[in-house]
Amino acid sequence: GITTILVTHDQNEAMEVADSLAVLHDGAVQQAGSPASIYDRPENEFVRSFIGPTTVFRGTTVRPHQLRVRKRGSGEEAVVTDVVQLGFEVRLSLMSPDGSECWVQASRYDEDISELKVGDDVFLNLRTEIITGGGNVDQLGAAVNRPSVQDA
């Protein structure tokens, strides 16, 4: 076979064509591996924010699809500040009582999402079932990042 090295700043292109990726920052390899492993299990905050969308929940950077919004229940209280429907996807902007903001990416087919409107009170939790390897889940349910490559 032939090995080809492609240098790009286009994350979509890299994720689509590569069998293996290396994410560099300031001349140092931050993480290397398959596109799926880099996206699902980023080894540091730079990789997490460089590859794919992020938001902040409880002071920790997470993927917006890792958050669950419920009309009733328990969790972080928030108010819906914006609702954008993009086909099957719904993007919710939320504000906590302390003024912190985050956004959630969900399916419009989720019954707790489909009827939400600006001004609704909701409860926000981390979907611990989809946190894999890139962070352990502490007793609060917040993602805890593994040490970076540079710290090892």
Side-chain angles (χ1 to χ4, degrees), residues 61-101:
T61 305
V62 297
R63 303 258 183 243
H65 67 271
Q66 291 176 315
L67 297 173
R68 173 181 289 132
V69 174
R70 295 287 181 240
K71 295 177 194 176
R72 294 171 288 291
S74 62
E76 298 289 323
E77 294 179 19
V79 175
V80 177
T81 59
D82 194 28
V83 179
V84 177
Q85 298 221 2
L86 302 166
F88 77 93
E89 179 185 336
V90 177
R91 293 183 187 179
L92 299 170
S93 296
L94 306 169
M95 182 177 289
S96 297
D98 68 4
S100 61
E101 298 179 20

Side-chain angles (χ1 to χ4, degrees), residues 17-46:
V17 303
D19 294 324
S20 168
L21 295 175
V23 177
L24 285 81
H25 180 62
D26 290 336
V29 174
Q30 299 295 303
Q31 185 172 349
S34 71
S37 70
I38 289 174
Y39 182 87
D40 293 335
R41 295 178 300 282
E43 293 183 356
N44 60 45
E45 288 299 315
F46 176 80

